[in-house]
Amino acid sequence: SHESIDRIKEWLTDCTTKHSECRESQSSLLPTRLIDAGDPAAGNPPRLIETTPGDSGAYLALSHCWGLNQTYRTLRPNLSAMKRGLIGFDMPSMPKTFKDAIMLTRTLGFRYIWIDSLCIIQDGTKDWEVEASKMSDVYSNATLTIAAASAAGDREGFLGTRLHPWRAMVNTFPSHPDLVSNLEVLQERLLSKRLVFFENDELVWECRTKRTCECEGLDNYQNESWGSERPLSISHKFMQSSREEVYAWWKYYVLEEYSQLSITFGMDKLPTLSGIATKVARQTGDTYLAGLWKEDLCLGLLWSAEEARSNPPGRKFDWEHDYTKSAQVAAEYRAPSWSWASIDGKVTY
């Protein structure tokens, strides 16, 4: 609605002009590829563009759940066609989430948006490796990240009639179970300057200074893990701290909070952290070792799989049989056995 768009514009203007912790140049280095939102009414359809190294400007980024049947992607055979105009933009073949994101980009007054499955060549191993290494900069440099929290897959979209408008929120994470429990959106959330979540019920805003929603129920909310501090503020603060503080943030905040999250493909468990790992490596100058850090390896190895105590009613607790691990070794190899990434489940330090 116009009211929702105005609210986003208000939050964004307030953030970029009044928040000292958030206020940065809105012109940043552009990613290798972007979607030019175009103007279909004027005969200019959205299209994929390739930027020139060193180009700067403002752009948005999309954080979304792909779903299990993601077929609309940029591939080597269709790369040239995507540059001429996004295939099927006005047809059912394009996922509604992408249509919504591109339309929202234009409505907010921006020209460009970055969408991973369209801006990275999905069947090009070399391109994927190069672009994945830049992921930290893509989200860090975006003026705003749009989080399609209400959509479990790209076909659902996130713009539409709300179920219960402005229902008070009860936690800081997106309420949709597929997004809140998904590790693939971890780095988008921690690396972004600011995000707007499109929930089933309302819009939620988060930046380094402020966390709010349309009903304002989040304004004074405190989470058990980090109190009243905002996750984006915590991440930004630690990325500018000493090496020891960065290591502590990595273990006690990133790994403990997010090792419990699910992921569509188990083999992506470490790659999904590559953007954050790149940031930590720049800050510490350290070497990344399968989810741990070389100079912090002795302490980093002290992780343990969280155990769940099960006490059947009617009999005394049996320490040998009733204490079961909630985490399990992954069926396929994805990391050395000494790495927390080798198991499925939550780890603690």
Side-chain angles (χ1 to χ4, degrees), residues 129-191:
E129 291 175 351
V130 171
E131 294 306 311
S133 69
K134 302 176 182 177
M135 199 76 75
S136 61
D137 294 327
V138 169
Y139 286 101
S140 297
N141 290 334
T143 300
L144 175 68
T145 296
I146 299 169
S150 61
D154 290 334
R155 295 287 170 184
E156 294 185 15
F158 58 91
L159 298 180
T161 304
R162 300 175 187 174
L163 299 179
H164 306 285
W166 292 24
R167 185 180 65 186
M169 302 290 292
V170 295
N171 61 51
T172 61
F173 287 99
S175 60
H176 194 286
D178 289 329
L179 199 54
V180 68
S181 62
N182 201 306
L183 185 61
E184 290 156 312
V185 300
L186 162 63
Q187 66 181 353
E188 287 101 321
R189 186 164 195 256
L190 292 186
L191 293 173

Side-chain angles (χ1 to χ4, degrees), residues 281-309:
R282 290 176 185 170
Q283 177 69 13
T284 63
D286 202 354
T287 302
Y288 189 52
L289 301 172
L292 303 175
W293 298 97
K294 184 177 181 180
E295 296 300 321
D296 188 52
L297 193 57
C298 289
L299 294 178
L301 289 170
L302 298 180
W303 61 268
S304 62
E306 185 174 79
E307 296 178 316
R309 175 171 173 167

Side-chain angles (χ1 to χ4, degrees), residues 1-20 22-23 26 104 108 110 143-147 162 166-167 169 193-199 201-219:
S1 67
H2 293 296
E3 184 179 2
S4 296
I5 296 300
D6 289 342
R7 181 63 65 94
I8 297 174
K9 290 180 177 179
E10 178 186 339
W11 283 333
L12 182 58
T13 300
D14 189 55
C15 180
T16 55
T17 60
K18 299 179 181 179
H19 298 168
S20 58
C22 303
R23 195 164 54 235
Q26 298 311 304
L104 182 62
L108 291 176
F110 290 85
T143 300
L144 175 68
T145 296
I146 299 169
R162 300 175 187 174
W166 292 24
R167 185 180 65 186
M169 302 290 292
K193 294 177 184 176
R194 52 189 75 87
L195 303 95
V196 59
F197 296 98
F198 281 77
E199 299 281 356
D201 307 319
E202 64 175 350
L203 299 175
V204 177
W205 173 271
E206 186 175 314
C207 64
R208 296 169 187 166
T209 303
K210 185 177 184 178
R211 182 178 61 233
T212 188
C213 55
E214 289 177 285
C215 74
E216 300 181 353
L218 278 178
D219 290 12

